[in-house]
Amino acid sequence: MCGIVGFVGEEKAAPILIEGLRRLEYRGYDSAGIAVNGDGVTVVKEKGRIDNLQGRVDEINPQGTIGIGHTRWATHGAPDQINAHPHRSMNGIVTLVHNGIIENYMELKNDLIEKGYKFKSQTDTEVIAQLYDFLFDGDAITTLIKTAEKLEGSYAVAMLVKGYDDKVFAMKKDSPMIVGKGDGENYLASDIPAILPYTRDCYIVNDGEFIEISKNDIKIFDKDGNEKEVEIKTINLSIDAAEKSGYDYFMAKEIYEQPKAVMNTVFPLIKDGEIQLPFEFPESFKKNLNRIYVVACGSAYHIGITAKYIIEDMVRIPVMVDIASEFRYRNPIIGKDDLCIFVSQSGETADTLASLREAKVRGAFTMSIVNVPFSTIARESDGVIYTNAGAEIAVATTKAFSAQLSVIYVLSAYLAHEKGLMSDDEIKVFTSEILKLPEKIKTALDCDKITEELSKHIATKENMFFIGRGIDYPLCLEGSLKLKEISYIHCEGYGAGELKHGTISLIEPGTVIAAVATDDALYGKMVSNIKEVHARGAYVIAVVKEGTEGIEDVADEVIFVPKSSKYLMPSLTVIPLQLLAYHTTVEKGLDVDKPRNLAKSVTVE
Ligand code: M6R
């Protein structure tokens, strides 16, 4: 949620800030603004997308080579111009931008109002500015530390302070922030894509650190004001990852990048038919691994349900799957013999991170499956497997989802082997099947044309259902989420056998049903379910493996995907479901990459 940028250098700041915000726009797009320090601080902010802001910036043409910027996902206060960041304190001591939520903002606000402070916006952010102003002791860093002591909640804050005209200051707690190191110029950002055109050398800011950047210097202070060592890491991400590269939308590009994303993810994990994980599980797991928890949100949660089907079948260990926002508050029963897996593209999702911390406190071994390098979830887990899918920009996840699936396959096989349920030879066969997936995904992408045709029909509908059994069921949840989040068509994903326990009453002539039926053992039952909805007038699109015979007799339309091992089918089945969502949204003329009310990285709970 919300994207922050900061720049100090010798070039004009405004274009660099705007470019950075464009690259962070996936984090929120309710309003945007910049503050540039030239001859005094100029604030320009507008409701809506960066294009609106760009128009105003072109008119005002703020001079100055130092500045901060923000793209907002509204939490406190309407998404309008007044609530847009940056916010300036009453006495002009500080101008700042913020990502996160200040939980005690009402209490602080009332206190500051009593002290004579006047507020312009409804945001929690303005409280940080006024508080800093009130506490200002003439020293930017000590005031920042005192301000942080009074704040409850999460924040990444970047600020310009009066009297420090060559510097940008920042602090963070539970919201991501990086410092980019350039040559005679330095940067701040919520995420790596913002600074990729300029540098790959970064400092990943930790909670409780206070930052001062000038064009030639980066200083990090701890909560006692002591200066810390600045450990620069080089991020290995290509700039293309944050460009559309000729595609109309990032989502289309990312769908087509899936073969590469899967290959780059599994390749480092499989060597000569053996699985090599980048960390070691506790020795005791060999005998005592009791239970596995998978905790995540949204699409990553669907990875968890898929993992349950695969791991329980292959490894014979119970798998509990939790939505992170529930897990963190439900007093889960976990201990040292349990493995907790946290799945997150961004590695910053607030609920998933809080769940990880909860699991650690309870003594479980934690591992994460994360896409963004050095993100907080990756750094705080006992072990991490990176999905090397590259930067994912579209709000709807596609390539990261596919990469996460491929990690689940490798991990399941690894655990099955450790438990003696898969021999070396079986592992060789299974991993060679995994390595064939990128080519098969390429073939599955051939369904682009038919999904585009079908989308013309789906785009006219208000409801749609996805039904499946076994390992196809979580894919139905994913297909349904994908379609509803970007096309705004109401969708539900159902276990096909569950339909007659309520939902079938919603089926009427013309209702569109996508029926996913790739599991041979359950195929006959799926055919019966398809017939039941067909008999009630539903229009059925079946998604099946190539070579499935007789399906044309029961479904109105059929999409064939390549065959693979039953465990690996989700990687192929998901492709037409993503394309249906994509094309339907394009057909409806909606913004595929930035659906309303959503943001890519959910860093507030
Ligand atoms: O960054 P994360 O993977 O932790 O994000 C979790 C969900 O917010 C995410 O999967 C969301 O559901 C996607 N927009 C779905 O396409």
Side-chain angles (χ1 to χ4, degrees):
M1 326 243 105
C2 300
I4 288 179
V5 290
F7 173 72
V8 189
E10 288 192 345
E11 284 181 54
K12 216 170 144 186
I16 292 170
L17 296 172
I18 298 257
E19 173 63 18
L21 292 180
R22 283 196 192 284
R23 290 167 179 275
L24 293 182
E25 206 177 10
Y26 64 86
R27 300 179 69 87
Y29 30 87
D30 290 334
S31 63
I34 59 170
V36 173
N37 201 348
D39 192 13
V41 174
T42 308
V43 174
V44 188
K45 50 189 189 177
E46 281 298 312
K47 183 179 170 180
R49 304 283 168 96
I50 309 286
D51 283 342
N52 300 357
L53 175 68
Q54 174 86 68
R56 284 294 290 153
V57 169
D58 289 347
E59 278 167 41
I60 295 170
N61 193 15
Q63 301 300 311
T65 61
I66 292 155
I68 52 175
H70 187 264
T71 178
R72 179 172 187 240
W73 186 86
T75 58
H76 295 61
D80 58 22
Q81 204 252 1
I82 291 186
N83 290 325
H85 303 206
H87 292 281
R88 186 183 237 158
S89 67
M90 196 175 77
N91 300 310
I93 299 283
V94 69
T95 307
L96 59 78
V97 293
H98 163 225
N99 169 27
I101 290 183
I102 303 303
E103 285 163 7
N104 59 337
Y105 88 104
M106 267 323 284
E107 186 188 320
L108 292 170
K109 187 170 180 172
N110 290 337
D111 195 35
L112 286 158
I113 288 171
E114 266 182 33
K115 291 185 164 82
Y117 277 84
K118 296 207 167 24
F119 284 76
K120 289 188 182 146
S121 76
Q122 300 152 310
T123 63
D124 52 340
T125 302
E126 197 183 354
V127 168
I128 312 174
Q130 308 292 25
L131 180 64
Y132 186 94
D133 190 301
F134 172 69
L135 295 172
F136 192 63
D137 59 9
D139 184 286
I141 287 290
T142 57
T143 309
L144 200 52
I145 295 170
K146 281 193 280 177
T147 306
E149 282 166 4
K150 300 228 174 292
L151 299 177
E152 287 168 20
S154 61
Y155 49 82
V157 176
M159 54 170 67
L160 302 174
V161 180
K162 196 174 172 184
Y164 291 83
D165 293 337
D166 58 345
K167 292 185 169 65
V168 172
F169 296 90
M171 62 175 173
K172 78 145 237 152
K173 178 177 164 272
D174 293 339
S175 281
M177 177 171 276
I178 56 165
V179 177
K181 183 178 176 343
D183 187 7
E185 53 191 30
N186 288 312
Y187 306 82
L188 276 176
S190 301
D191 201 357
I192 296 156
I195 57 163
L196 273 183
Y198 317 108
T199 181
R200 282 176 179 71
D201 293 338
C202 296
Y203 176 75
I204 316 286
V205 184
N206 297 299
D207 281 358
E209 290 181 338
F210 301 88
I211 316 296
E212 176 188 310
I213 61 168
S214 50
K215 68 179 182 185
N216 291 317
D217 212 2
I218 298 168
K219 288 186 176 166
I220 314 288
F221 300 91
D222 68 15
K223 65 176 179 23
D224 299 316
N226 300 316
E227 207 173 325
K228 295 174 75 174
E229 200 185 325
V230 184
E231 199 188 319
I232 299 290
K233 292 191 162 82
T234 302
I235 307 283
N236 189 13
L237 257 191
S238 110
I239 190 157
D240 309 352
E243 310 273 348
K244 282 191 202 145
S245 311
Y247 286 90
D248 290 339
Y249 291 97
F250 279 109
M251 184 177 178
K253 174 180 171 248
E254 288 160 7
I255 287 174
Y256 273 87
E257 282 175 344
Q258 290 181 103
K260 194 168 97 196
V262 170
M263 182 50 96
N264 289 346
T265 301
V266 295
F267 208 67
L269 302 174
I270 300 171
K271 296 258 157 29
D272 302 326
E274 280 180 23
I275 295 172
Q276 294 181 357
L277 299 187
F279 61 89
E280 284 183 13
F281 287 116
E283 192 55 32
S284 62
F285 274 11
K286 286 210 167 104
K287 279 196 180 141
N288 298 338
L289 178 55
N290 184 30
R291 266 173 316 201
I292 296 173
Y293 285 83
V294 188
V295 183
C297 302
S299 292
Y301 168 72
H302 301 152
I303 291 289
I305 308 178
T306 313
K308 179 179 176 71
Y309 279 90
I310 300 174
I311 296 175
E312 288 194 343
D313 205 30
M314 281 174 71
V315 192
R316 307 308 295 155
I317 285 182
V319 179
M320 322 284 158
V321 188
D322 271 80
I323 295 169
S325 51
E326 291 300 318
F327 180 86
R328 63 183 291 190
Y329 295 118
R330 78 166 172 81
N331 197 10
I333 304 164
I334 37 178
K336 67 172 179 39
D337 294 331
D338 297 326
L339 165 63
C340 291
I341 306 174
F342 300 87
V343 186
S344 177
Q345 187 286 129
S346 62
E348 300 292 349
T349 300
D351 285 315
T352 311
L353 175 59
S355 300
L356 162 68
R357 289 174 176 166
E358 187 63 37
K360 285 184 89 166
V361 166
R362 288 165 192 251
F365 183 84
T366 59
M367 70 160 277
S368 59
I369 301 171
V370 169
N371 196 42
V372 176
F374 306 117
S375 51
T376 313
I377 292 174
R379 284 182 291 141
E380 292 196 12
S381 311
D382 296 314
V384 56
I385 300 182
Y386 279 114
T387 49
N388 299 318
E392 192 179 62
I393 307 291
V395 164
T397 180
T398 52
K399 63 175 179 172
F401 182 88
S402 285
Q404 288 161 353
L405 278 177
S406 66
V407 173
I408 294 297
Y409 307 147
V410 175
L411 182 67
S412 308
Y414 178 88
L415 292 170
H417 185 255
E418 286 288 287
K419 237 188 135 199
L421 296 175
M422 268 181 120
S423 66
D424 290 352
D425 285 347
E426 284 167 325
I427 286 285
K428 277 199 171 70
V429 173
F430 190 69
T431 51
S432 79
E433 274 302 303
I434 295 174
L435 291 169
K436 284 181 200 151
L437 277 176
E439 269 312 305
K440 292 187 182 181
I441 293 171
K442 264 187 208 154
T443 310
L445 285 163
D446 290 344
C447 71
D448 200 337
K449 196 88 214 109
I450 181 172
T451 51
E452 189 176 1
E453 278 306 309
L454 292 170
S455 72
K456 296 192 173 88
H457 182 59
I458 297 171
T460 64
K461 301 289 175 182
E462 285 181 1
N463 300 291
M464 181 164 166
F465 295 89
F466 290 75
I467 59 170
R469 285 171 177 266
I471 204 164
D472 293 329
Y473 161 59
L475 262 287
C476 290
L477 300 180
E478 176 59 10
S480 157
L481 174 62
K482 207 95 302 174
L483 185 65
K484 76 181 120 188
E485 75 172 317
I486 59 173
S487 76
Y488 317 146
I489 293 171
H490 165 246
C491 298
E492 290 189 45
Y494 256 84
E498 183 67 9
L499 212 59
K500 21 187 179 316
H501 298 282
T503 318
I504 202 162
S505 65
L506 296 169
I507 308 296
E508 49 186 23
T511 304
V512 180
I513 305 245
V516 184
T518 68
D519 187 337
D520 293 336
L522 298 167
Y523 181 69
K525 298 199 184 303
M526 274 305 294
V527 168
S528 304
N529 295 136
I530 292 172
K531 285 184 174 164
E532 285 160 10
V533 291
H534 214 252
R536 286 158 180 89
Y539 177 83
V540 179
I541 301 167
V543 178
V544 295
K545 288 188 290 197
E546 63 194 7
T548 306
E549 286 177 10
I551 187 73
E552 285 93 343
D553 302 335
V554 285
D556 296 283
E557 298 288 346
V558 182
I559 301 174
F560 290 100
V561 292
K563 279 187 199 160
S564 188
S565 142
K566 97 169 176 187
Y567 298 121
L568 308 186
M569 281 311 295
S571 292
L572 304 163
T573 326
V574 77
I575 303 296
L577 306 187
Q578 294 168 343
L579 285 166
L580 279 177
Y582 171 74
H583 286 303
T584 304
T585 309
V586 172
E587 183 65 25
K588 289 186 75 176
L590 297 167
D591 186 339
V592 174
D593 289 336
K594 299 190 198 92
R596 68 185 176 210
N597 305 336
L598 285 170
K600 178 77 178 162
S601 180
V602 184
T603 52
V604 293
E605 67 167 298

